[in-house]
Amino acid sequence: MAEKKIAVGILGLGRSGWGIHARTIGNPAVAEKFQVVAVTDPITARMDEAKDVFGCRTYGSVDELLQDKEVELVVVATFNHQHADHSIAAMRAGKDVLCEKPMASKLADADRMIQARDETGRVLTFNHNKRYSPDFLVVQDVLQSGKLGEILLIRIAGQGFRRRWDWQTLKSHGGGEMNNNAAHAVDAGLTLLSVLGADADPEVFCDVRKTPLCAGDADDHVKIVLRTKGGPTVDVEVTNAAAIRQDSWYIMGTQGGLTGGAQELRWRYFNPRLLPERQATAEPTPDRSYNREDVPWQEESWQKGEEKTTGYDMLYLDLYETLRHGAPLAITPESVRKQIAIFEECRRQSPV
């Protein structure tokens, strides 16, 4: 006998609420387990479109939707600065919550969300689909394999060149590249640190700027460096000022390295047992040259195929297992809070 679908109410039908969440719930694998039953958005035409596609109810306000007794899961896809208040209101209304990134614009708001989770006993999770991206999963597997040796550097870049003038350029709405795009990159870096057993609070260095390419008052160039004790350095760069792009991934280890992006990755490594042991000596080399030897490199690569499900699909399917079968929550508020603490430190160091 088929289990009852999870009834979803979506707050906000913009790029994320419609383009990510509504679309994902409409995908066959997810539609078997979730159903959009209610939506709200300030733009009536958007709600009409959702009603035509899903046959759902439409509400003129967030409060009205939260009173809908059928709604089990609320997707919070409103403006960034509203995420905390809307998530808390949903939990207090007896709903589980899937909130868009960023978790919150302030650390105090993130803590309010966690407190509300504890007080209500509801599930609170976040859209960090990067953890499910095929390239990220390959990178994670390579690091866990130990092939690259001790990891010294993890560099994650999200680069492009564009001018922006939408709401995501406005501080008043929680805009900026740090909240909107560095959230995914920093989350990926923190997740890999945890995988490597180096998940203690890192030392943070930030250079956050607003360039003339941004019409609003928020940041559009972000450099964040996380230094761990005994672990790798994580270098995150998210910018709209990169006329020449670099690879999204660059990882350096004592036995090899990895580079590439969402479509293709390549890595090379060697087995240290295949090289002779060396001892330091003060004797000059016979030909006055630097030391050199032939390293027996092995090379591997990965190319993205025609995956049947997306990272968003997997996020929803994991959440279904939590809500229906009590499986551990894949993306916990505590793990996401770490990036909000880093962003708060960045704003202290580089106030825009």
Side-chain angles (χ1 to χ4, degrees), residues 178 186 202-209 222-227 233-236 342 345-350:
M178 185 158 60
V186 170
E203 182 181 352
V204 181
F205 166 80
C206 300
D207 180 16
V208 181
R209 306 187 187 196
V222 180
K223 167 71 81 171
I224 301 174
V225 178
L226 308 177
R227 187 171 70 175
T233 297
V234 174
D235 180 339
V236 170
I342 289 169
E345 172 61 16
C346 288
R347 293 187 181 97
R348 187 191 69 81
Q349 291 185 21
S350 301

Side-chain angles (χ1 to χ4, degrees), residues 8-30:
V8 181
I10 303 178
L11 311 186
L13 296 169
R15 278 191 297 264
S16 295
W18 184 255
I20 294 175
H21 295 282
R23 180 176 296 173
T24 297
I25 294 171
N27 289 344
V30 180

Side-chain angles (χ1 to χ4, degrees), residues 67-316:
Q67 293 173 23
D68 188 317
K69 294 183 179 180
E70 185 185 4
V71 172
E72 299 177 65
L73 174 69
V74 169
V75 173
V76 177
T78 48
F79 292 128
N80 293 348
H81 70 293
Q82 298 173 315
H83 286 180
D85 287 344
H86 287 164
S87 295
I88 290 169
M91 287 185 283
R92 297 207 181 284
K95 317 299 186 184
D96 297 315
V97 173
L98 168 57
C99 181
E100 257 300 328
K101 53 77 186 166
M103 176 182 189
S105 298
K106 299 177 182 178
L107 187 60
D109 286 340
D111 288 337
R112 286 197 301 121
M113 296 167 81
I114 292 174
Q115 181 179 355
R117 185 274 315 267
D118 292 341
E119 291 173 353
T120 62
R122 307 313 307 182
V123 169
L124 172 64
T125 191
F126 301 89
N127 178 24
H128 278 291
N129 60 293
K130 183 70 174 176
R131 299 193 197 185
Y132 296 92
S133 296
D135 58 315
F136 174 81
L137 295 176
V138 172
V139 169
Q140 182 174 272
D141 287 345
V142 172
L143 293 186
Q144 288 181 307
S145 74
K147 292 177 179 179
L148 305 186
E150 178 187 352
I151 304 302
L152 306 175
L153 173 70
I154 299 172
R155 186 169 188 274
I156 306 171
Q159 299 175 331
F161 191 92
R162 62 177 171 174
R163 299 195 303 164
R164 287 191 73 170
W165 54 92
D166 61 342
W167 70 264
Q168 289 189 336
T169 68
L170 299 173
K171 287 183 181 180
S172 61
H173 288 58
E177 284 297 303
M178 185 158 60
N179 276 344
N180 289 304
N181 291 312
H184 285 308
V186 170
D187 183 75
L190 289 172
T191 302
L192 292 177
L193 285 179
S194 180
V195 165
L196 294 170
D199 57 346
D201 292 336
E203 182 181 352
V204 181
F205 166 80
C206 300
D207 180 16
V208 181
R209 306 187 187 196
K210 171 190 149 22
T211 78
L213 297 169
C214 177
D217 58 354
D219 59 88
D220 64 336
H221 175 82
V222 180
K223 167 71 81 171
I224 301 174
V225 178
L226 308 177
R227 187 171 70 175
T228 62
K229 293 182 179 179
T233 297
V234 174
D235 180 339
V236 170
E237 185 174 285
V238 177
T239 181
N240 286 333
I244 301 174
R245 297 185 183 185
Q246 297 175 318
D247 284 343
S248 300
W249 292 102
Y250 183 79
I251 297 178
M252 187 185 302
T254 56
Q255 294 171 202
L258 177 149
T259 189
Q263 301 299 317
E264 183 178 6
L265 296 166
R266 59 189 185 281
W267 57 99
R268 65 191 313 213
Y269 58 95
F270 72 95
N271 184 341
R273 293 193 296 270
L274 300 180
L275 290 174
E277 186 175 344
R278 302 290 188 182
Q279 298 292 332
T281 176
E283 295 295 321
T285 55
D287 57 358
R288 300 184 180 88
S289 67
Y290 289 102
N291 298 139
R292 59 179 180 268
E293 61 185 348
D294 292 326
V295 176
W297 292 112
Q298 300 181 61
E299 299 193 5
E300 297 182 40
S301 63
W302 164 87
Q303 286 188 327
K304 185 178 180 180
E306 296 295 327
E307 282 78 10
K308 294 182 179 179
T309 58
T310 68
Y312 299 117
D313 285 357
M314 296 307 299
L315 182 147
Y316 269 88

